[in-house]
Amino acid sequence: MKRTLSLLLCVLLTLSLAGCAPKEETLQIFAMDTVMDMLAVGSEAREALSASAQEINRLEALLSRTRESSEVSAINSGKTVTVSDETAELLQRAVQYAALTGGTFDITVEPLVSAWGIHTESPKVLSADEIAALLPLVGSGHLHMDGRTVTLDEGCSIDLGAIAKGYASDRVAQIFRDYGVEGGWVSLGGNVYAHGTKSDGKPWSVAIRDPQNTAGAAALVGLSNQFAVTSGGYQRYFTAEDGTVYQHIIDPSTGAPAISDLLSVTVICGNGTMADAYSTALYVMGLEGAKAFWQQHSADFDMVLITQDNILYYTPGLQGKLTVDEGGAYDAKLLS
Ligand code: ADP
Ligand code: MG
């Protein structure tokens, strides 16, 4: 009898523990022209994920340059428009990041993004004359803002493609906090946010994709309540008839796809929007420029740079968090 009772107690205890166990939910959506995956653990995990998906779709409707009804399309129409506080604030931040990065990140690069058409079915190699005709349209000075009233100079246009997913990841992080998500992560097409910890209390292990073998990882980094945003030429590109590969990040100073000695840049910090802007900018800057920029702003972010000659540089803040396969494709080197 005693045995039966204790067995019953055991079963009841297991059942009640299972009942209390926080739920793990996953969701995959396609938005902002990319696949997005999310995972959340918590009693309101499902609600948190559906609110996140709704928020991402709302932001896409607001910020997409290819949706006619978006605020960005209204700005690009050439008329003076009044935008939402949210869009005005994001534009202001974009202008700040352009100034901070010496214009290597610049949302007014849109006329060149469109003309090269690397996102489209019909990309085109521009001639030097075509580039020269469009380059004068690039520069934050063409964007005039007075509170929420925005005007662009004639012929100019903006593209928030290098910052919108990062901003969306910041919003998702807020939603995870609001819903009391215990642990989870989102990957918005190369923009990762790791929330809380795994159920064993350890940080989430975030893979930095191998730019030369995108099915594999070049490194793993343990993160908790942080963003890791990667930009690289390998993500979107086209190969011209002569075999030249043109990738999707434009160097605003030349008007052509950036020719970088970096294969990828991962920026790691507590701000998704900034990480997104910086990862694009550092790719354009190249190895030496990226190192110099980090030296000036080392309090703000950590980074992993993967170079054409197979070196993986990482900053001291990642010591003890980063795992690189010994004898793997890349030689890991600490920056200081
Ligand atoms: P992804 O959005 O593919 O993750 P990025 O964040 O690096 O990659 O953003 C690149 C996108 O931003 C391009 O596809 C283009 O739409 C736009 N863009 C290209 N070059 C620049 C640049 N120098 N500054 C700002 N936006 C850019
Ligand atoms: Mg970016």
Side-chain angles (χ1 to χ4, degrees):
M1 184 64 192
K2 226 177 176 181
R3 251 183 98 154
T4 324
L5 258 180
S6 62
L7 199 69
L8 191 70
L9 205 69
C10 244
V11 171
L12 281 176
L13 199 69
T14 318
L15 280 177
S16 71
L17 277 179
C20 295
K23 275 186 282 177
E24 177 179 299
E25 300 281 349
T26 58
L27 184 64
Q28 185 178 72
I29 60 169
F30 187 87
M32 299 185 170
D33 209 21
T34 190
V35 177
M36 301 185 165
D37 287 290
M38 313 184 219
L39 178 145
V41 180
S43 55
E44 291 194 73
R46 187 189 290 265
E47 291 79 1
L49 293 188
S50 81
S52 299
Q54 262 182 36
E55 177 67 355
I56 292 165
N57 289 327
R58 182 187 72 81
L59 291 173
E60 183 173 17
L62 192 70
L63 305 174
S64 164
R65 78 188 159 101
T66 54
R67 293 229 187 147
E68 273 178 35
S69 55
S70 74
E71 290 197 341
V72 165
S73 290
I75 295 168
N76 287 346
S77 74
K79 298 189 196 103
T80 294
V81 291
T82 305
V83 297
S84 58
D85 284 329
E86 188 175 27
T87 300
E89 206 174 295
L90 189 58
L91 291 177
Q92 249 144 21
R93 288 176 70 183
V95 170
Q96 270 171 15
Y97 294 138
L100 276 166
T101 63
T104 48
F105 162 87
D106 193 331
I107 59 172
T108 64
V109 79
E110 202 286 332
L112 285 146
V113 171
S114 275
W116 282 94
I118 311 232
H119 302 77
T120 68
E121 302 276 289
S122 45
K124 180 174 178 254
V125 179
L126 298 188
S127 68
D129 285 349
E130 286 170 312
I131 294 175
L134 295 172
L135 262 181
L137 303 173
V138 179
S140 295
H142 292 301
L143 179 67
H144 308 282
M145 292 186 67
D146 180 7
R148 290 161 51 212
T149 308
V150 185
T151 317
L152 271 175
D153 287 338
E154 204 182 323
C156 298
S157 45
I158 56 166
D159 173 9
L160 296 182
I163 200 174
K165 292 197 290 287
Y167 178 65
S169 70
D170 275 328
R171 296 290 311 130
V172 169
Q174 185 58 49
I175 290 170
F176 274 28
R177 290 191 290 269
D178 292 346
Y179 279 86
V181 171
E182 291 166 27
W185 51 262
V186 296
S187 174
L188 315 182
N191 290 237
V192 174
Y193 166 63
H195 179 84
T197 62
K198 295 190 291 181
S199 53
D200 61 5
K202 296 209 175 103
W204 295 97
S205 187
V206 175
I208 295 176
R209 198 166 276 182
D210 179 348
Q212 296 178 102
N213 165 26
T214 51
L220 297 175
V221 56
L223 296 181
S224 176
N225 300 325
Q226 276 199 305
F227 299 82
V229 179
T230 301
S231 284
Y234 67 92
Q235 289 166 324
R236 276 172 216 261
Y237 58 88
F238 89 100
T239 310
E241 273 170 22
D242 67 357
T244 311
V245 174
Y246 295 93
Q247 55 70 40
H248 69 131
I249 299 172
I250 306 284
D251 181 339
S253 70
T254 65
I259 298 173
S260 184
D261 50 4
L262 298 172
L263 295 173
S264 76
V265 175
T266 302
V267 172
I268 295 164
C269 63
N271 182 318
T273 311
M274 185 179 88
D276 200 359
Y278 281 7
S279 68
T280 306
L282 298 187
Y283 179 81
V284 174
M285 288 178 199
L287 177 61
E288 288 312 315
K291 279 201 239 173
F293 185 81
W294 172 75
Q295 264 144 4
Q296 283 181 341
H297 301 272
S298 58
D300 298 339
F301 69 99
D302 277 297
M303 66 179 184
V304 174
L305 305 176
I306 302 183
T307 67
Q308 296 271 8
D309 47 6
N310 298 331
I311 300 174
L312 183 151
Y313 291 98
Y314 63 100
T315 50
L318 299 175
Q319 262 176 317
K321 296 181 183 172
L322 192 82
T323 320
V324 186
D325 240 3
E326 248 179 76
Y330 303 101
D331 269 341
K333 283 195 184 161
L334 176 67
L335 282 170
S336 52

